[in-house]
Amino acid sequence: VRHSPVTYAVPEGVQFVFHFSLSICVVRTSPPHCDNSTTLDIMFRFNPHQQNGKKPPLVEPSFHDVNTEKIAAAMLTAEPDPSDAVDAILSRELEQLSFQDFQAIHEEVHGVRTLAPEENSALWRASLECLATELAILRPRHTVYDQACRISNSYVNESGFRLRFLRAESFDAKKAAARLVAFLELAYEFYGPLVLQRPIQFSDLTKQEADMLRDGELQPLPFRDRSGRRVLVALGTFYMQYPLEMRIKVNLYLHWAISEDVETQQKGLVGVFCWPCGESASTVLQNMMIPKPGSRDCKYAGKLFAAMPLRLVAVHLCFPNSLAYNCLRSGLALTMGDKRSRLRFHCGDCVETQYNLQGYGIPTDQLPITDSGNIKTKYFHQWIRVRKSLESGGSSVGKPGSSANASTIECPGMNDVIFRCGQAYLCHPGNVMFRGLIESKYEDHNQADISKSK
């Protein structure tokens, strides 16, 4: 019930719709002396988190003493919250989903199931044929894709490249074609014609862009989450103090590099915008340039979401409960298009937010940020060195089945077992499965009476 819409209907015509995941309450009522087709939506905001270390009391909703005229007058005359408009948009979009669709998205966000179809060779062949047909329709209207097709032996025409975008759209050929073309056009705009000949590489970044990437304000976690999904974390100022062109180039490179793993393509990507901790929150705000709605930043953020070569499974926004961060949260929500139903907001201190993220299967002990707000970059710098090594091996590096990929594992898979010092590997799904396998044989081992049986 906690994360699902719950509707309470009463005879007087008042309907309470609680959206716990959005921390809002919508009161829908037909005002007195009006016909039943006239409705009034009133939105209440509430904070389900602890106040001063105490849990809020559990109150049973009561409908007997509700005066809708007084509520409406009070709410309509109150000073509007800048984030209320976005909450209203999210609420309407969730209400338009069918119960089955809402439940499926809800379960995938929590890592209980995946909406990706089961793959086989027949599905690949049929989907690639449909994608080729859709791309042929788009080719006359998109010169960048047309230029890429004219290059002999271009990676754009390879099945591995096209399967990324098919998996990103759950093998919907029409949507995959639009995403593929959007990716090429955006990469061409910021990287130039070189991206039509070969994939994006770390060496394509300028020195300033490479130094910006090394700051670690956007980095993947070393391990997958509980469901085997890759997690990309945004920290600190989220690179908002840098020019837009640099941010887009770095994001495009990271999205491409992460999407080279087939398991990540299949299971999708989880995004986490991590909170600044303690006093660092106000310091972060001083260095952050929050884009205005409709600005060039918001426009290209929307393009970036539409061109990702990965399926975005969930996005968690973990911000302090302040006006400036609510504006930033609203701006991010508006740029996500049809992925807004996968947004989850987490307000509160660091400990509360970490507990909330653990409920979604995210290994919070791997988040590269300290309690004081400092960003950890040790693993990320190792990841960059691995990427540079892979990309310097020649044109075959990064392609499925190449020898370089076979000998180097950038991120352990769902069924891989990790052997290393410390406790960090305990949350990895492969290790959890391996420990369960050992425990299942423990009693049989103890009861065996001879060494051979043991």
Side-chain angles (χ1 to χ4, degrees):
V1 174
R2 176 180 173 83
H3 299 283
S4 303
V6 181
T7 303
Y8 296 94
V10 295
E12 291 80 0
V14 181
Q15 186 183 43
F16 286 78
V17 182
F18 291 85
H19 288 277
F20 290 100
S21 59
L22 298 179
S23 298
I24 62 176
C25 168
V26 179
V27 178
R28 180 165 301 154
T29 177
S30 297
H33 313 298
C34 297
D35 57 10
N36 291 331
S37 63
T38 303
T39 61
L40 175 65
D41 284 2
I42 310 170
M43 180 174 297
F44 293 94
R45 297 182 59 81
F46 68 94
N47 185 6
H49 301 290
Q50 296 181 5
Q51 300 291 338
N52 298 323
K54 299 180 180 179
K55 291 185 177 180
L58 181 63
V59 180
E60 185 69 17
S62 175
F63 308 102
H64 301 291
D65 301 325
V66 176
N67 188 319
T68 56
E69 290 181 313
K70 290 183 179 180
I71 293 176
M75 293 299 297
L76 294 176
T77 57
E79 184 178 352
D81 190 312
S83 61
D84 281 350
V86 176
D87 286 340
I89 293 174
L90 296 174
S91 178
R92 284 196 298 270
E93 291 182 354
L94 285 177
E95 288 177 352
Q96 292 172 1
L97 292 173
S98 66
F99 176 78
Q100 291 78 10
D101 291 341
F102 179 87
Q103 190 69 15
I105 293 174
H106 174 73
E107 290 178 354
E108 185 172 46
V109 168
H110 278 79
V112 177
R113 62 180 288 192
T114 177
L115 298 182
E118 186 176 350
E119 298 184 18
N120 52 56
S121 58
L123 176 64
W124 293 341
R125 286 195 300 269
S127 300
L128 288 171
E129 290 176 1
C130 293
L131 179 61
T133 303
E134 295 293 339
L135 289 173
I137 297 173
L138 296 177
R139 182 172 178 177
R141 304 195 302 269
H142 297 275
T143 56
V144 174
Y145 174 69
D146 181 63
Q147 293 179 37
C149 291
R150 295 179 184 275
I151 299 175
S152 60
N153 299 323
S154 174
Y155 74 103
V156 175
N157 297 320
E158 295 178 358
S159 60
F161 174 80
R162 298 189 173 190
L163 279 172
R164 295 190 194 202
F165 296 92
L166 283 168
R167 291 179 176 123
E169 294 291 354
S170 300
F171 287 87
D172 186 319
K174 188 172 183 178
K175 291 182 179 180
R179 183 175 289 270
L180 187 152
V181 171
F183 173 82
L184 287 177
E185 290 180 343
L186 191 62
Y188 182 88
E189 180 178 354
F190 289 94
Y191 280 94
L194 186 64
V195 297
L196 304 181
Q197 303 173 17
R198 61 164 176 79
I200 302 171
Q201 296 183 0
F202 182 86
S203 58
D204 297 331
L205 301 174
T206 64
K207 184 180 184 303
Q208 188 178 8
E209 292 162 354
D211 292 340
M212 167 187 162
L213 178 63
R214 290 190 181 96
D215 288 345
E217 293 188 357
L218 185 64
Q219 55 176 294
L221 294 188
F223 302 126
R224 303 176 188 271
D225 72 353
R226 180 179 56 199
S227 301
R229 304 171 298 190
R230 201 72 189 270
V231 182
L232 185 63
V233 185
L235 306 159
T237 60
F238 319 128
Y239 293 138
M240 297 296 290
Q241 73 273 28
Y242 291 97
L244 173 66
E245 290 74 14
M246 294 176 61
R247 283 184 273 135
I248 294 295
K249 290 184 69 175
V250 167
N251 272 273
L252 281 172
Y253 171 72
L254 283 173
H255 293 167
W256 177 262
I258 293 174
S259 69
E260 287 193 346
D261 177 58
V262 175
E263 187 173 351
T264 303
Q265 296 173 22
Q266 295 171 339
K267 295 184 179 297
L269 178 71
V270 175
V272 178
F273 287 80
C274 210
W275 63 99
C277 297
E279 298 179 356
S280 63
S282 58
T283 305
V284 167
L285 282 176
Q286 296 175 2
N287 299 325
M288 184 183 296
M289 298 181 294
I290 300 178
K292 298 179 180 179
S295 64
R296 187 165 174 259
D297 295 66
C298 293
K299 173 186 174 183
Y300 276 98
K303 286 186 175 182
L304 193 62
F305 278 116
M308 286 183 63
L310 281 169
R311 189 167 60 92
L312 195 58
V313 175
V315 177
H316 299 272
L317 303 182
C318 311
F319 293 156
N321 190 14
S322 65
L323 179 62
Y325 280 103
N326 285 340
C327 293
L328 178 60
R329 185 202 73 177
S330 301
L332 289 169
L334 290 174
T335 61
M336 291 190 60
D338 59 351
K339 300 297 184 183
R340 280 193 288 265
S341 59
R342 298 176 178 273
L343 270 173
R344 294 296 181 269
F345 301 133
H346 309 285
C347 295
D349 58 28
C350 297
V351 176
E352 286 180 301
T353 310
Q354 287 188 46
Y355 278 121
N356 288 335
L357 290 177
Q358 288 175 4
Y360 293 87
I362 298 174
T364 55
D365 59 325
Q366 295 299 310
L367 292 175
I369 187 170
T370 64
D371 293 337
S372 59
N374 295 324
I375 298 175
K376 304 176 184 178
T377 58
K378 180 179 179 180
Y379 160 74
F380 186 52
H381 289 170
Q382 293 176 349
W383 181 85
I384 292 176
R385 287 195 294 269
V386 171
R387 291 301 315 168
K388 290 171 66 176
S389 175
L390 289 172
E391 293 165 0
S392 63
S395 60
S396 63
V397 173
K399 298 180 182 179
S402 65
S403 58
N405 275 9
S407 59
T408 304
I409 298 176
E410 175 193 325
C411 179
M414 184 75 170
N415 297 322
D416 293 337
V417 179
I418 304 169
F419 292 89
R420 58 170 294 178
C421 299
Q423 303 290 322
Y425 64 90
L426 294 178
C427 63
H428 180 66
N431 289 65
V432 173
M433 182 181 65
F434 181 66
R435 290 198 303 272
L437 180 63
I438 296 298
E439 290 173 0
S440 66
K441 303 296 182 182
Y442 182 75
E443 291 297 331
D444 294 339
H445 175 80
N446 286 340
Q447 295 176 4
D449 54 354
I450 57 175
S451 300
K452 187 176 181 180
S453 300
K454 288 180 178 291

